[in-house]
Amino acid sequence: MAPISKECDFLVIGIGSGGLAAARRASGQWGAKTIAIESNRLGGTCVNVGCVPKKITWNAAAIAETLHEAKPYGFNIKEVAPFDYKTFKHKRDEYVKKLNDIYARNLKNDKVEYIHGRASLLSKNEVEVRLDDGGKETIRAQKILLATGGHPNIPKIEGAELGITSDGFFDLETMPKRVALVGAGYIAVEMAGMFHHLGSETHLFIRHENFLRPFDPMIQEKIITEYERQGIIIHRNSSQSKVEKGDKEGWLKFHYSDKSSPDGAVMDIDCLLWAIGRSPEVEDLGLSKIGIEQDERGHIVADDYQNTNIPNIYSLGDVCGKIELTPVAIAAGRQLANRLFGGPDHKDAKLDYTNIPSVVFAHPEVGSIGLSEPAAVEKYGKENIKTYRTDFTAMYYAMMPAEEKAPTSYKLVCLGDEEKVVGMHILGTGSAEMLQGFGVAVKMGARKRDFDACVAIHPTSAEELVTMK
């Protein structure tokens, strides 16, 4: 073992959103001597291959959607050239690189020492870092945070490596002509919408009848119907058996079965994207060496205060698998740093993991906070739950033919005689921005009558949430 080369109060392994937030708060606000280690690009999944480039691509897809919808409003837009995806992709890459540089400056400004390398635990206070130049350093820390995130899964079938994952999506230089996406979670649903609206023939393969199955049934039913209306081809009850190189350069033969072809079929595609879930980034972290507890999927087990079972070792973010959202990791990281280094006033600081809003950037957007109707019934009993729901067509679609009108659906799930809102589920244009504001109300314990007491803003879709009967 190499001699101790550095010592610190706080060592953060993994500088994604959560690790970055914890490191900066510990050093910049509380003065803890902090070292941050990252083996990839600064910012983690969100900045590099997640939220940020995804939303930029979603914006491009939404613009394409708007251009299509402009004609009923009287605009005749002549396309003089196809969408220049390559130029778009490189501009998106430049923006991400700019964020990487900003994060590096932020670490420096907050006096966090940044080391680029791969870390592995040696003991509960010591970590070995394999540096880019092949050298090694051993760091001793009073407290260690594990915030290494996760990575996409690839199935164990023949030829699976010929496909890409959500990471590889952002490396594509051109939009494929025909793409197969496998998965039923929000990543698959978001990317299916983006591929479709940017011009690819899009096939989405799901194992069951619906996708987004953790969401309220209203969301599941509405979004899958809308995707099919738009022309996305859904393959229900599907499984995949083999992938092989196709007859044409860059094409694949994709072997599968589904509800329509239970005995099997083969599809020629020029892009295959696996979106079948993610696993924690723990493979060479050395967890077993010091006995850090993991669950059956390999996630580090941490309590609501981010404590692992080993004293002075903490964990948060996707590597814990609790709620895998960037703002959750950021909030948890800041609260942990407050508790560890902020003195007596912050000795009980922790993130409240209840009523966390989440959004799916589908077409249209989906927003959700709190319990789905089935979850509320299971927790409180059917007799104690009342729901309010509205389905309508937003005024934006007033000028369009019936077959081109997208749905808008909202639901409030209320508890008891007080009708406390314990769940809110919305689908339609603008749902992401809308949910952030209404999420505050739900977090504060708003009742249905509090919603009713707010005067509506007309004409908006959001007014339907305060006028439900």
Side-chain angles (χ1 to χ4, degrees):
M1 186 175 73
I4 302 297
S5 56
K6 297 179 186 293
E7 296 192 22
C8 63
D9 301 319
F10 193 38
L11 178 63
V12 180
I13 303 175
I15 309 303
S17 300
L20 185 79
R24 292 186 62 198
R25 177 62 59 89
S27 178
Q29 183 163 334
W30 303 120
K33 184 178 180 182
T34 302
I35 297 176
I37 302 170
E38 174 56 57
S39 62
N40 209 315
R41 292 182 288 173
L42 281 175
T45 296
C46 176
V47 168
N48 297 292
V49 289
C51 326
V52 171
K54 180 271 299 287
K55 184 63 185 293
I56 293 172
T57 311
W58 182 89
N59 288 340
I63 291 170
E65 198 174 6
T66 302
L67 292 174
H68 173 75
E69 294 164 344
K71 189 172 182 180
Y73 272 90
F75 294 92
N76 290 293
I77 300 172
K78 183 178 180 181
E79 187 176 67
V80 296
F83 173 57
D84 186 353
Y85 182 80
K86 188 171 185 177
T87 297
F88 164 78
K89 187 262 186 194
H90 290 167
K91 288 185 71 175
R92 186 184 63 198
D93 290 349
E94 289 171 6
Y95 179 70
V96 170
K97 176 62 168 62
K98 179 181 176 181
L99 292 181
N100 297 148
D101 294 340
I102 289 172
Y103 281 13
R105 286 200 303 273
N106 287 342
L107 287 173
K108 184 177 180 180
N109 291 340
D110 283 325
K111 298 181 172 55
V112 177
E113 182 179 351
Y114 168 49
I115 298 173
H116 195 270
R118 192 80 174 174
S120 180
L121 294 163
L122 297 175
S123 71
K124 67 178 184 178
N125 292 107
E126 294 179 359
V127 167
E128 181 180 82
V129 184
R130 299 186 300 281
L131 304 173
D132 294 344
D133 63 4
K136 293 180 180 179
E137 284 191 343
T138 301
I139 302 172
R140 178 178 291 152
Q142 293 183 25
K143 302 180 188 300
I144 298 173
L145 172 60
L146 308 177
T148 49
H151 56 257
N153 296 330
I154 294 178
K156 293 179 172 60
I157 65 168
E158 182 182 343
E161 71 281 357
L162 296 172
I164 61 173
T165 65
S166 55
D167 290 0
F169 171 83
F170 299 106
D171 291 329
L172 292 174
E173 291 285 340
T174 58
M175 274 286 106
K177 292 180 173 61
R178 181 185 296 139
V179 59
L181 299 100
V182 182
Y186 74 92
I187 293 175
V189 171
E190 289 178 337
M191 291 192 167
M194 290 185 284
F195 273 122
H196 171 71
H197 287 289
L198 293 177
S200 299
E201 179 186 315
T202 303
H203 296 256
L204 179 57
F205 291 80
I206 60 178
R207 284 191 298 170
H208 302 283
E209 284 290 322
N210 285 324
F211 49 57
L212 297 180
R213 292 171 66 223
F215 285 77
D216 190 87
M218 178 193 77
I219 299 295
Q220 298 177 44
E221 295 158 9
K222 285 288 183 176
I223 194 70
I224 200 165
T225 301
E226 173 61 9
Y227 265 31
E228 289 183 310
R229 182 195 71 81
Q230 292 176 9
I232 296 172
I233 302 155
I234 311 293
H235 298 259
R236 293 171 170 83
N237 304 125
S238 71
S239 63
Q240 299 75 45
S241 56
K242 184 169 69 171
V243 187
E244 55 188 343
K245 291 184 177 180
D247 300 326
K248 293 187 291 184
E249 180 69 26
W251 283 69
L252 304 171
K253 289 191 176 295
F254 181 55
H255 297 253
Y256 68 94
S257 64
D258 63 10
K259 193 172 183 177
S260 301
S261 304
D263 297 326
V266 181
M267 180 184 295
D268 291 318
I269 56 176
D270 59 337
C271 182
L272 167 62
L273 192 148
W274 303 110
I276 57 172
R278 295 173 63 83
S279 294
E281 185 78 15
V282 295
E283 286 77 8
D284 56 354
L285 198 49
L287 301 181
S288 60
K289 186 179 296 185
I290 62 173
I292 290 180
E293 186 180 353
Q294 297 171 260
D295 67 16
E296 65 279 358
R297 294 181 57 201
H299 293 107
I300 296 172
V301 176
D303 64 18
D304 285 350
Y305 289 87
Q306 315 307 147
N307 300 309
T308 70
N309 63 311
I310 303 298
N312 297 320
I313 295 186
Y314 312 90
S315 189
L316 55 81
D318 290 6
V319 75
C320 296
K322 191 170 285 188
I323 299 178
E324 297 183 17
L325 296 171
T326 293
V328 173
I330 292 171
R334 288 171 178 164
Q335 292 287 27
L336 176 64
N338 290 340
R339 182 169 70 86
L340 297 182
F341 303 106
D345 289 346
H346 298 278
K347 63 183 178 63
D348 296 318
K350 69 179 181 70
L351 174 62
D352 177 6
Y353 279 90
T354 62
N355 284 332
I356 290 175
S358 64
V359 165
V360 182
F361 285 101
H363 295 263
E365 301 160 54
V366 168
S368 180
I369 183 170
L371 300 173
S372 66
E373 183 178 349
V377 168
E378 182 179 354
K379 183 173 182 177
Y380 296 113
K382 188 173 183 178
E383 68 280 6
N384 296 312
I385 295 298
K386 184 174 182 179
T387 62
Y388 296 84
R389 174 172 171 173
T390 180
D391 301 273
F392 62 99
T393 301
M395 188 178 288
Y396 174 78
Y397 298 102
M399 309 292 283
M400 298 176 193
E403 65 273 13
E404 293 187 13
K405 293 183 178 184
T408 305
S409 294
Y410 299 155
K411 180 191 282 189
L412 297 179
V413 182
C414 302
L415 171 64
D417 294 336
E418 285 285 294
E419 292 195 334
K420 178 181 178 181
V421 180
V422 295
M424 175 176 159
H425 312 283
I426 57 178
L427 175 148
T429 303
S431 289
E433 300 290 349
M434 199 183 302
L435 183 63
Q436 187 68 81
F438 279 100
V440 175
V442 175
K443 188 73 175 176
M444 292 177 69
R447 301 155 298 179
K448 174 65 167 61
R449 65 175 177 267
D450 297 318
F451 275 58
D452 296 342
C454 183
V455 175
I457 303 170
H458 182 74
T460 64
S461 293
E463 69 179 296
E464 296 289 332
L465 285 165
V466 298
T467 56
M468 282 195 210
K469 304 297 182 186

